[in-house]
Amino acid sequence: MTNILSLQKCVSIFIIGLLFSITACSDNSTGPDDNGLGEVTLTVSGDIEAQRTGQADFSELQASSLYTWSMDFHDFSPQTFSLSFNHISQEEIDRPGADTYEIGIGQAALPWEDPRPMSFYGEYVHIVDQDFTNATYYNTGFCEDEYPSGGTLTISSSSSDQITGSFQFTAHNINFDDSGNCINNGTIIVEGEFTATPRIGA
């Protein structure tokens, strides 16, 4: 079982990294104005102190036998942050309806496990003047016994054209030492509001 859980975590990290790459490489030549793109306004406190605005979209991605439903937020020119909420499952994922969802590890139950409510993995990436090489990642769902993280994603309205809501969560910049022990390099609290639209080209 330990090997299965480790494989599941590795696959999840791979999918999340793939999602970030797709979002970071998308066309950011237009902004969240009156052009049909969604928008987000957020505040970061703790290890980072910042107020940010950017665009917001949502999509579902299939990679091999895994499905990921994601909501992504970022600014541009220069890009200073990326924020994503992801839910990973081995089955197709319905668009979440109006409700409050947990932000944590974001994985659906495996076939042999009891079903559990839909939840989302949260990741905030701090980027200084579009320097992606030195970006700092803050995540939820890792090393929970030592460094609790997570929060809530509240969806106020949900349709195929637009999703609105708010969020509040705590995330950590987690690394591991040679013995596999958790090292927390920083903690942030992120909260904000959004109006997201379907990802262009998804």
Side-chain angles (χ1 to χ4, degrees), residues 58-84:
F58 60 89
S59 69
E60 183 178 4
L61 170 71
Q62 180 183 5
S64 186
S65 60
L66 287 178
Y67 295 85
T68 302
W69 195 93
S70 68
M71 191 175 298
D72 296 278
F73 315 88
H74 60 88
D75 58 359
F76 48 91
S77 299
Q79 185 171 351
T80 65
F81 82 94
S82 175
L83 169 63
S84 62

Side-chain angles (χ1 to χ4, degrees), residues 111-129:
W112 58 84
E113 297 176 330
D114 292 333
R116 53 179 177 258
M118 187 176 190
S119 64
F120 292 87
Y121 167 84
E123 178 177 78
Y124 183 90
V125 186
H126 176 61
I127 308 164
V128 178
D129 294 333

Side-chain angles (χ1 to χ4, degrees), residues 58 69 71 87 93-102 117-120 153-160 162-166 194:
F58 60 89
W69 195 93
M71 191 175 298
H87 178 74
I93 304 168
D94 294 330
R95 172 175 40 83
D99 205 342
T100 296
Y101 301 88
E102 178 185 0
M118 187 176 190
S119 64
F120 292 87
L153 168 65
T154 299
I155 295 179
S156 304
S157 66
S158 176
S159 71
S160 58
Q162 180 176 280
I163 297 177
T164 65
S166 60
F194 64 87

Side-chain angles (χ1 to χ4, degrees), residues 144-182:
E144 287 296 292
D145 290 341
E146 297 173 75
Y147 307 110
S149 64
T152 55
L153 168 65
T154 299
I155 295 179
S156 304
S157 66
S158 176
S159 71
S160 58
D161 297 324
Q162 180 176 280
I163 297 177
T164 65
S166 60
F167 51 83
Q168 189 277 334
F169 68 99
T170 299
H172 307 294
N173 176 224
I174 296 289
N175 282 328
F176 299 89
D177 64 19
D178 293 339
S179 300
N181 299 311
C182 300

Side-chain angles (χ1 to χ4, degrees), residues 14 21 36 107 128 140 159:
F14 170 76
S21 298
Q107 294 180 352
V128 178
T140 65
S159 71

